Amino acid sequence: MNSLPTYDDVIAAAARIEGHAHRTPVLRSRTADARWGAQFFFKCENFQRMGAFKFRGAFNALSRFDAAQRKGGAIAFSSGNHAQAVALSASLLGMPAVIVMPTDAPAAKLAATRGYGAEVVMYDRFTDDREALARRLAAERGMTLIPPYDHPDVIAGQGTAAKELIEDAGPLDALYICLGGGGLTSGSALSARALAPGCKVYGVEPEAGNDGQQSLRAGRIVHIDTPKTIADGAQTQHLGDYTFGIIRRDVDDILTVSDAQLVEAMRFFAERMKMVVEPTGCLAFAAACAAGEAIRGARVGILVSGGNVDLARFAALVGGN
Ligand SMILES: *Cc1c(COP(=O)(O)O)cnc(C)c1O
């Protein structure tokens, strides 16, 4: 492993993505402030291009390719937001992209990925090793593999969201971040440590998949089985070497929330703020809502990480009793 990325890398990433990524809004809610007795600043990456913060890291990583890498293009394995982020970034930068996806990936995700101009290569979830397949294709075709979180350029790109949040909102007492493999959390922590001294930084995972929390407690990366949770963007089995290196140094704690708490947060966003937020994008706010006295009177940043959820699933989740 090379050295860990720093806040200077986040600054460089911000310059690369400027004019390509949206500077997403920081929204307020009087209802939320009154109900929980805090001042909330919601950084709305559900309004980012392709619907999630992952565009930041992917675009930053692909922007750094040299001429030979650009010619070969980018390859990723993912059925989620990272796939679309790599596909869109490659198309904007005029390079080929291959996304390795399971044969049972939702039709909408396949269509969206192809719609951004990427070639989709299918694998069987039960018999194939997707990482081995991606590595073989990368070698055969001279493509560069971009992992979803454990890569210095991806982490630096993800850190630009918290940088913008703190620039726009001013000093924060606490920052809550949705946590899967830790790219967003580690990048955000770099920005918070540089721009908001004294700000408490929390990563938030689904209760069923608390590998990050276990890792922080154990002081080493703990691996778990794929967790069952509605937060499909946080079904990761372990943190990465880079992300854990930053998280153990710069993150105050890792918290967990239940699926029921995620649904409550989804309903609040829909009903009170008129926003569609995917279950994974609700992790941060759900934990802040449960923080009680800890956030009373505080200025609290919430990273709302994405809004990609198909409408039937959204309706089923927020409409149920
Ligand atoms: C990927 C993703 C996450 C988790 O991000 P990591 O960098 O893997 O921790 C959270 N929310 C959404 C919407 C995502 O797509």
Side-chain angles (χ1 to χ4, degrees):
M1 190 173 73
N2 299 318
S3 56
L4 297 174
T6 67
Y7 181 62
D8 283 340
D9 297 313
V10 180
I11 295 174
R16 283 185 206 106
I17 69 169
E18 191 175 358
H20 301 284
H22 296 313
R23 189 175 181 106
T24 52
V26 176
L27 299 185
R28 307 293 314 272
S29 163
R30 285 166 192 263
T31 309
D33 289 1
R35 191 179 298 176
W36 286 282
Q39 283 177 269
F40 288 106
F41 299 86
F42 297 95
K43 177 64 171 170
C44 293
E45 287 294 297
N46 51 314
F47 297 135
Q48 186 51 264
R49 290 186 80 167
M50 53 64 55
F53 72 90
K54 289 226 172 54
F55 178 69
R56 296 173 181 270
F59 192 88
N60 184 50
L62 269 58
S63 298
R64 300 205 62 197
F65 281 15
D66 63 23
Q69 286 178 303
R70 278 176 193 256
K71 190 154 171 292
I75 181 164
F77 51 88
S78 161
S79 51
N81 288 330
H82 179 63
Q84 285 164 64
V86 169
L88 174 60
S89 300
S91 109
L92 292 172
L93 292 163
M95 59 175 99
V98 167
I99 308 296
V100 178
M101 283 187 155
T103 42
D104 59 353
K109 288 250 162 86
L110 286 174
T113 306
R114 290 197 178 110
Y116 290 128
E119 178 192 346
V120 174
V121 173
M122 307 267 209
Y123 72 96
D124 183 330
R125 212 191 258 285
F126 302 100
T127 58
D128 301 340
D129 175 347
R130 64 175 188 173
E131 194 166 340
L133 174 61
R135 287 191 193 287
R136 182 167 58 76
L137 285 171
E140 279 171 12
R141 301 196 192 181
M143 305 187 93
T144 303
L145 183 65
I146 298 297
Y149 52 87
D150 206 31
H151 186 294
D153 298 333
V154 171
I155 292 168
Q158 316 308 31
T160 59
K163 175 178 182 288
E164 292 172 6
L165 166 60
I166 298 164
E167 285 168 356
D168 292 354
L172 296 175
D173 300 307
L175 174 60
Y176 290 79
I177 308 145
C178 309
L179 171 70
L184 183 63
T185 301
S186 55
S188 301
L190 294 176
S191 293
R193 286 291 163 253
L195 300 177
C199 176
K200 295 277 188 198
V201 178
Y202 301 110
V204 185
E205 295 181 304
E207 211 166 71
N210 72 335
D211 61 286
Q213 189 180 58
Q214 291 186 46
S215 301
L216 198 62
R217 307 272 189 275
R220 63 179 170 82
I221 299 172
V222 172
H223 291 239
I224 60 167
D225 290 336
T226 302
K228 284 201 177 55
T229 167
I230 60 170
D232 48 9
Q235 282 178 310
T236 38
Q237 293 171 268
H238 56 87
L239 300 175
D241 293 329
Y242 290 103
T243 60
F244 181 62
I246 296 170
I247 286 171
R248 68 187 306 185
R249 184 191 66 197
D250 289 341
V251 168
D252 288 283
D253 203 0
I254 295 180
L255 313 171
T256 64
V257 297
S258 67
D259 281 3
Q261 287 174 287
L262 291 177
V263 168
E264 276 308 305
M266 270 177 103
R267 287 197 179 126
F268 184 90
F269 283 135
E271 199 165 38
R272 296 296 175 164
M273 298 180 72
K274 318 303 167 194
M275 297 203 296
V276 173
V277 181
E278 63 184 279
T280 315
C282 294
L283 285 163
F285 185 48
C289 293
E293 278 305 314
I295 60 163
R296 192 85 57 211
R299 296 168 56 85
V300 180
I302 303 290
L303 246 156
V304 181
S305 56
N308 291 327
V309 49
D310 72 67
L311 224 40
R313 182 159 179 257
F314 179 78
L317 285 169
V318 300
N321 289 314

